[in-house]
Amino acid sequence: MKTRVLGKSLPRFDAPGKVTGTLVYAADFSLPGMLVGKVFRSTEAHARLAHLDTTRANGLPGVRGIITAADVPDVRYGGAVKDETVLARDRVRYVGQPIAAVAATTLEAAEAALAAIVATYEPLTPVFDVETATAPDAPLLHPDWRTYTAMPILHREGNVCNRARIVAGDVERGFAEADRIFEHRFRTAMVHQGYTEPRAAVAQWDSAGTVTVWSNTQLPFEIQNTLAEILAIAPSKIRVVVPGIGGGFGGKLRVGVEHVAALLAKRAGRPVKVLTTAEEELTAAYPRQATIVELKTGVTRDGRITAKHGRIWFDTGAFAGSGPGVASVATLVLAGPYRIPNLDLEGHAVYTNKTNCGSFRAPSGPQSNFAVESQMDIIADALGLDPLDFRLKNIVREGDEGPTGQVLNAVGLEECLVKAADAIGWNDRRPGRWRGKGLACGRWTTTGGSSGVYVKINTDGTIALNTGAAEIGTAALTGAAQVLAEELSVDLEDINVVSADTFSTPFDFGAQGSRTAFAVGNACRAAAVDLTRQLYALAAPHLGVEPEACALRDKHVVADGKSLSLAELARLSQATGGGLIAHGTFIAPPTPYDTKRVESHAYPAFHSPSFHAHAAEVSVDPETGEITVENYVVAQDVGFAMNPTYIEGQIEGGVAQGLGQALSEEIVYDGGRVRNPNLTDYKMPTTLDVPRVQTILVQHPSLVGPYGAKGVGEPPNIEPPATVANAIAAATGVRITSLPITAEKVALALRDVTARSAES
Amino acid sequence: MSRIALALTINGQRHDVLTEAHRTLLDVLRADLGLTGTKENCLEGECGVCTVLLDGMAVDSCLLLAAQCQGREIVTIEGVSSRGGDDVLARAFIDCGAVQCGYCIPGMIISATAFLDEHPSPSEAEVREALAGNLCRCTGYQKIVDAVLAAGRTSGTETRGDAR
Ligand code: FES
Ligand code: FES
């Protein structure tokens, strides 16, 4: 395809503001007279809040307002289950839970006020892990769980806030057909998104009772609606504006600081800013759930998978958060990207007395894939098969069914696997002592939802693109702008983007689920079709032709050897009509699936699925267990590469983040308290930890995405843990089944092996 | 609280500030002077988003008291491009696709500026070592490292300006 703009590695439109420090992020945003808001948090994991005294704090200098549960509307809110309150009323459920909030003139004054608030607790029995929480007589975190409003499809019971299930075929028959049955258990740790900009919001009320919130949220419209519930006012009274965002990765989907800022601003009668600290981020944000996974897989001697029984438990923390949905998505991942006729897959989201977990880039993906793809290698080894061959024998191909019966198309998985394996040099899997290679593969969804854009052609020939989506860093809006520029035959520099303001931009389902470039790109296409029609109708009489004879070429409408520029046409239109304006919309079509295969399922099919394979070469120091990732390859089926450079950027960044989860990151809880709530002890990868990543773009065009594009952002985060786990096993002969795979775990496992071989 | 009067030289300009003795340079830059190109995150010297040049050295401004900076030369991201018109690094970051959310980028560019001043044509390993104190969660560092290497090559051939 010959293109003007699309498919080219053009620089993103927001880069200049970012390299010069002039782009204003939410954390940078301030207003005259603005106060500092801080949150008073629970020090207990599970307790009755017997008494709360804010009298002394209220009288301190600089304090302009304090709110407790008694001062705010008594509402429960939440995504799938409405189980959360802004401030704890009579019970606290995790260390870090907000109990009160203070607005003061300075940070010091606010902190002094927090120190002067006195809470008295009566301890309740805490529950710190999913095994205890799901035991028959476990203490309930939410004794009133039955009274909560929840998505009707959920299956809830006590501490379990959803159990989703996929059943296909007959697993017992499948196991009977198997020659070997493998059972394994895996664990993964709680990890944080690690965005570099803390969550931030500034709220200001006007005299008409409208509140404006400047926030670094990924989902302005979701925040608008949640705030409407929390503040008990109409959504039209709430304006959410998103300035620059310093990363989100799913951690900035849900209301986190916006409600506190809005409530304090109302109380104090002045604008209030709330900005989280690193400690608050690591103790009271929306991290990725820790999980336990159990897999039972039946295979024939020649390596055909006949049945899989999989169960995953998500430690979702004190409130449901994203847990019920994530537990659903997990069941699709537990199937693996394989043809398995008999499946029984369950995902459980379980309450414990820890921080409320949320969504993190490909929610449930890395945990489930780590288990599935680790077990694939274990099975291949046990059967004496090459792990690549074993996968190729079982992977899904064009026209196959997904686990819930959806028909798969544009399946680029084989190409991904073969190319990744070739690039890593798969024929030499153990290239030296303590050196080994591993691979893993998977599939992921391109989340649906709707997107709208307004597009206007300006009288200087530039284009205004107005979208409700926020640019969170992925360059997705640059991709969408490239689509628009291509369709209107202009350059990327001609497009000016206005985004994410709930008062003025059209609705968008938000920057989540690898959907932004895909969905906004399609909305741009729709708007361009409309604008083109308007342009031709306007130009035709002036060019002395019928509209059908017109074409768009290089910023002009041309026909019959004559032409009119977009600028001239915009001027003409403004003089005679309302200007050249179009509204483009897109909603992803539903993906048909077999409803009989799912129970209590919030996400039964992967839309426009992407396919991917990762391969790594690692070396291990046998003394210290220290792991070095020497080489890393990703082959990802992106459908169509709108802007190859930024797709590579997504892949390189996703791998780095995935390697953190694989090797070093863990929010360590001990008796309900986080032991490492700082960036010294919560170890994210630095320049010294991340290898160069070789990216191979595979392009099997999807039926729905613009020019065949598929979602790109989340997938690269899924496979790294399994990939390095498999490479480590190849290098050392020991299999680590829990994340993160620290040097310590590897060294201990190696010592065990040595000790055992010495005994025998 | 008692305040002290400070004369700070930032991006070649003198700023007189009246502030409490305990306040950090980062605080004064962002809150008092509106220089929000220098970012804030961990406030404990772990992430590098607050990096500025202090007498040509890259330092975490969240760990420095403003009072310690009297009489010393401070350069922030806002001042980097005015240094002899030297925006080679910024250009290289854009051209290499090294910018995603961008929140780490000012700190990266500052660290890289100090580093390239000392090591005009570095190796990849040296660049990685120099940027090890700057966390980026978006890019996986590859294109950032490429940008610094590219800027090193460009400035090596162009002779870098030096306004200090
Ligand atoms: S904010 Fe200064 S190092 Fe993180
Ligand atoms: S570009 Fe987002 S943290 Fe570096």
Side-chain angles (χ1 to χ4, degrees), chain B residues 26 39-50 60-63:
Chain B
L26 176 65
K39 302 302 178 195
E40 78 172 276
N41 178 17
C42 71
L43 305 181
E44 56 194 10
E46 283 294 335
C47 74
V49 302
C50 64
D60 294 330
S61 63
C62 68
L63 294 183

Side-chain angles (χ1 to χ4, degrees), chain A residues 587-602:
Chain A
I587 172 89
T591 303
Y593 65 97
D594 180 355
T595 51
K596 291 190 295 298
R597 294 194 195 178
V598 298
E599 291 171 23
S600 325
H601 211 289

